């Protein structure tokens, strides 16, 4: 069980949260020009990182806010937590695995 | 708005009044329902000083901006839910509760960017008190209820026995009957949570009080 530091409520148990998958997936600028394959790429295809992964979580049974988490997918260690809309933490926070 | 004479608490069918003991006796935990509280959800940008001051002027206390804390007086209390969200709760039903509470907020924040939503009819409040109250909650909730970690006036939205709740510690060990928790739960979960509490509290000789 992860202890996730919600940027608003403080550290809480993982069971209070829901997972939102990869963060910073850019929305297509001109969606009407996308073909089916490109839509599928945007909607379904996510990276499968071994190491530091930037992902979204929502504190669904707490403050109900979305936020971003930088988590090591090997050790499950949470390296940083930052608000939605903020830039991801600097590269030196990321560790090679 | 439900007519007052038609109102039933979500635990009415459990006949809690008939089971209520006059005193705690040797019980480690006491349970009681506190139904029909006025509850209003308030969304407001805390950096809007005019609105924050208007609230303080109308209610006589300042909205808490520290996470997981509460503020209040005898007439109403405010529970911090998020960086721009609170519950305003009136401790007893009757005048000043529900619609009156919402009207008072709407009048105070009339020209400000804020949202006032009455939510009390969808929830009830279960009061859990006694020296073993912390131990009882700890059985179904991952939060740390040690007095050092969860003190008087603190609140948290979390899961209790898998039910989404808001927990408010209104008095700590300094109270004569021990810590007093007020647990707000959706009415569709109320019976489930009450039965869970009675079951989990058996080893503490849980007693129903008025």
């Amino acid at each position: 069980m992860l202890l996730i530091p919600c940027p608003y409520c403080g550290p809480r148990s993982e069971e209070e949260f829901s997972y939102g998958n990869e963060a910073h997936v850019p929305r297509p600028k001109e969606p009407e020009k996308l073909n089916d394959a490109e839509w599928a790429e945007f909607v379904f295809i996510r990276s499968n990182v071994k190491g530091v992964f930037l992902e979204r979580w929502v504190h669904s049974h707490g403050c109900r806010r979305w936020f971003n988490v930088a988590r090591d997918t090997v050790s499950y260690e949470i390296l940083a937590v930052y608000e939605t809309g903020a830039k991801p933490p600097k590269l030196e926070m990321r560790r090679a695995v | 708005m439900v007519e007052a004479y038609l109102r039933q608490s979500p635990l009415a069918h459990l006949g809690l009044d008939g089971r209520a003991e006059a005193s705690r006796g040797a019980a480690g935990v006491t349970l009681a329902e506190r139904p029909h509280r006025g509850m209003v959800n308030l969304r407001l940008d805390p950096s809007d000083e005019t609105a924050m001051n208007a609230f303080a002027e109308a209610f006589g206390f300042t909205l808490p901006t520290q996470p997981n804390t509460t503020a209040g007086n005898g007439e109403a209390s405010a529970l911090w839910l998020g960086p721009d969200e609170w519950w305003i709760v009136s401790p007893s039903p009757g005048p000043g509760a529900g619609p009156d509470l919402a009207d008072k907020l709407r009048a105070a924040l009339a020209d400000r960017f804020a949202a006032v939503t009455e939510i009390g009819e969808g929830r009830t409040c279960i009061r859990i008190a006694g020296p073993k109250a912390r131990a009882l909650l700890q059985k179904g909730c991952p939060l740390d209820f040690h007095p050092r970690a969860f003190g008087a006036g603190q609140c948290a939205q979390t899961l209790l026995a898998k039910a989404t709740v808001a927990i408010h510690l209104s008095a700590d060990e300094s109270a004569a009957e021990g810590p007093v928790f007020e647990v707000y739960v959706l009415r569709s979960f109320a019976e489930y949570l009450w039965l869970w509490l009675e079951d989990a509290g058996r080893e503490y000789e849980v007693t129903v009080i008025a």
Side-chain angles (χ1 to χ4, degrees):
Chain A
M1 185 76 74
L2 292 174
L3 188 66
I4 300 175
C6 169
Y8 308 106
C9 302
R12 295 291 183 92
S13 160
E14 179 185 345
E15 66 177 295
E16 292 185 14
F17 297 84
S18 303
Y19 188 57
N21 216 307
E22 188 171 8
H24 311 293
V25 178
R27 233 190 135 64
K29 285 213 170 78
E30 295 177 291
E32 69 280 5
K33 293 189 179 161
L34 260 56
N35 62 32
D36 285 356
E38 287 164 331
W39 260 121
E41 176 82 16
F42 166 69
V43 174
F44 301 114
I45 305 301
R46 297 289 177 264
S47 41
N48 182 22
V49 179
K50 182 181 181 185
V52 176
F53 190 45
L54 303 176
E55 58 195 13
R56 300 182 305 157
W57 287 82
V58 59
H59 195 186
S60 36
H61 297 287
C63 61
R64 294 178 293 282
R65 263 75 182 167
W66 284 92
F67 57 95
N68 296 321
V69 173
R71 182 176 62 91
D72 188 322
T73 58
V74 178
S75 66
Y76 279 40
E77 186 187 352
I78 291 172
L79 304 166
V81 171
Y82 54 104
E83 290 183 13
T84 294
K87 287 209 170 103
K90 290 202 182 87
L91 275 168
E92 53 259 38
M93 295 198 66
R94 306 187 184 187
R95 300 179 317 175
V97 174
Chain B
M1 174 60 201
V2 180
E3 295 298 332
Y5 63 89
L6 289 174
R7 257 182 170 183
Q8 279 206 327
S9 104
L11 301 178
H13 61 295
L14 297 181
L16 299 176
D17 288 343
R19 290 179 52 201
E21 307 277 345
S23 71
R24 173 158 72 87
V29 180
T30 60
L31 294 180
E33 194 196 5
R34 293 284 178 268
H36 309 312
R37 286 191 167 179
M39 295 177 71
V40 175
N41 186 286
L42 172 63
R43 299 295 300 268
L44 181 70
D45 181 357
S47 65
D48 181 350
E49 281 181 29
T50 316
M52 295 293 274
N53 291 337
F55 178 90
E57 211 168 288
F59 284 83
F61 61 89
T62 312
L63 281 172
T65 50
Q66 191 76 23
N68 309 317
T69 60
T70 59
N73 53 28
E75 287 167 31
S77 48
L79 279 67
W80 183 96
L81 301 183
D84 57 1
E85 188 173 9
W86 295 267
W87 277 352
I88 314 300
V89 179
S90 71
S92 57
D100 293 349
L101 199 61
D103 287 346
K104 189 174 170 183
L105 271 167
R106 287 195 188 100
L109 303 168
D111 57 345
R112 307 312 304 171
F113 187 66
V116 172
T117 315
E118 216 191 311
I119 57 166
E121 302 290 350
R123 287 177 172 76
T124 191
C125 177
I126 298 175
R127 182 184 188 275
I128 305 168
K132 292 291 185 188
R134 290 179 190 271
L136 174 57
L137 288 178
Q138 202 69 81
K139 288 189 181 189
C141 180
L143 277 180
D144 185 358
F145 285 111
H146 190 280
R148 271 200 308 272
F150 207 93
Q154 248 181 279
C155 70
Q157 293 177 96
T158 184
L159 291 166
L160 179 57
K162 297 177 189 166
T164 304
V165 295
I167 299 176
H168 175 201
L169 182 60
S170 58
D172 65 7
E173 274 70 2
S174 59
E177 57 176 330
V180 180
F181 288 94
E182 293 181 333
V183 175
Y184 295 92
V185 61
L186 287 164
R187 68 184 293 141
S188 53
F189 282 91
E191 180 185 357
Y192 158 74
L193 187 64
W194 179 277
L195 296 175
W196 183 87
L197 285 166
E198 280 205 42
D199 184 49
R202 274 163 82 177
E203 64 171 305
Y204 310 127
E205 302 196 26
V206 62
T207 301
V208 181
I209 58 167

